[in-house]
Amino acid sequence: MEKTNLLYEGKAKKIWETKDPDLLISEFKDDLTAFNGEKKSSEEGKGALNNKISTELFKLLNNKGIPTHFVEILDDNNMLHKRCEVILIEVIVRNIATGSLSKNLGIEDGKTLPFTLVEFDYKNDELGDPKLNDQHALILELVQYQDELDKIRRVAREINDILKPFFKTKGLNLVDFKLEFGYDKDRNIILIDEISPDNCRFWDINSGQKLDKDRFRQGLGGLKVAYEEVLNRILN
Ligand code: 5GP
């Protein structure tokens, strides 16, 4: 499958059209951004690692009955997937408090939550991705019906119920992650975007070492080695 027109360029991916109107190609970039684009860098090989990690996790989820946009990996940096209409909600799933949850609500960093928390952020860079409740999402017409929000929340929990134990067998705590959903051509709500250390937090169960984009956000270094470690653990 070949790329035709560049449809969109985001912070971490370029999205290309193909000759098939129902299929797009995501090209995973090496660029790194944090704090709503204020901190920028690049790490050679990061895009390819995220493409491979996302491919493995989409395959795992597809095999467990979670519909995703994934079709196939094309090469190091390119993934073929279905064209979907993006729902402008970032779905944040949290098992352990850290990041903005600890900052905003004063919950101790590293505290295991009594139950899995699912939050919605408005996917809007200009506004800095503010928190949304269901009424906000409906008023903004990000979806049409409450049922759709309920479904998104339910599927996000199902995904956590698959990924959390999977990563536990790999010696990693799945601390939190961000999902995106979209409408496919039949108007089904399916998982889109990527699942990678750019939008998940992974902590080594034994050492507590951070193996995700917090290495960049917090200036810890060793980002590529950490992403390689995540891929190797997934594959082994
Ligand atoms: P926090 O709200 O604590 O900053 O992030 C919670 C989780 O969602 C983390 O795993 C983080 O990587 C992910 N996340 C939240 N917002 C974004 C975003 O705008 N882009 C990306 N790539 N990940 C995000």
Side-chain angles (χ1 to χ4, degrees), residues 28-93:
F28 286 71
K29 304 198 298 186
D30 289 338
D31 296 351
L32 277 158
T33 63
F35 311 118
N36 203 13
E38 275 171 39
K39 184 171 180 177
K40 286 192 187 128
S41 187
S42 172
E43 180 91 28
E44 201 198 325
K46 191 243 353 171
L49 285 162
N50 281 352
N51 189 22
K52 288 173 190 149
I53 291 168
S54 291
T55 292
E56 293 304 319
L57 297 177
F58 279 138
K59 281 187 187 170
L60 172 73
L61 293 173
N62 281 336
N63 287 338
K64 300 269 186 187
I66 304 285
T68 79
H69 74 161
F70 176 77
V71 175
E72 63 175 343
I73 188 166
L74 297 174
D75 57 35
D76 273 358
N77 288 75
N78 294 286
M79 178 192 287
L80 184 68
H81 56 81
K82 293 178 191 163
R83 182 196 282 260
C84 290
E85 184 191 322
V86 179
I87 297 172
L88 294 176
I89 298 176
E90 297 189 343
V91 182
I92 315 287
V93 182

Side-chain angles (χ1 to χ4, degrees), residues 154-169:
R154 191 170 64 244
V155 176
R157 286 183 190 282
E158 285 170 12
I159 291 170
N160 187 54
D161 288 345
I162 295 165
L163 294 184
K164 189 177 139 188
F166 172 76
F167 280 108
K168 194 158 194 192
T169 66

Side-chain angles (χ1 to χ4, degrees), residues 90 92 94 99-100 129 176-178 198-201 217:
E90 297 189 343
I92 315 287
R94 298 179 189 269
S100 71
D129 297 349
D176 57 29
F177 53 100
K178 185 255 302 178
D198 268 11
N199 55 16
C200 301
R201 287 191 173 104
R217 294 187 189 102

Side-chain angles (χ1 to χ4, degrees), residues 122-181:
Y122 185 15
K123 187 175 161 63
N124 184 318
D125 283 343
E126 261 175 47
L127 297 176
D129 297 349
K131 286 270 161 257
L132 284 176
N133 66 27
D134 289 21
Q135 296 165 82
H136 295 140
L138 292 168
I139 286 169
L140 287 166
E141 298 182 2
L142 305 182
V143 293
Q144 256 185 302
Y145 306 109
Q146 177 66 43
D147 273 6
E148 296 173 307
L149 296 173
D150 296 344
K151 176 172 183 179
I152 288 170
R153 224 182 246 113
R154 191 170 64 244
V155 176
R157 286 183 190 282
E158 285 170 12
I159 291 170
N160 187 54
D161 288 345
I162 295 165
L163 294 184
K164 189 177 139 188
F166 172 76
F167 280 108
K168 194 158 194 192
T169 66
K170 309 291 180 182
L172 292 174
N173 268 324
L174 178 58
V175 174
D176 57 29
F177 53 100
K178 185 255 302 178
L179 301 172
E180 295 186 21
F181 292 86

Side-chain angles (χ1 to χ4, degrees), residues 171-173 175 202-212 215 220:
L172 292 174
N173 268 324
V175 174
F202 300 110
W203 292 354
D204 182 86
I205 286 177
N206 294 318
S207 67
Q209 196 187 14
K210 297 176 181 189
L211 297 172
D212 55 62
R215 300 209 70 82
L220 301 172

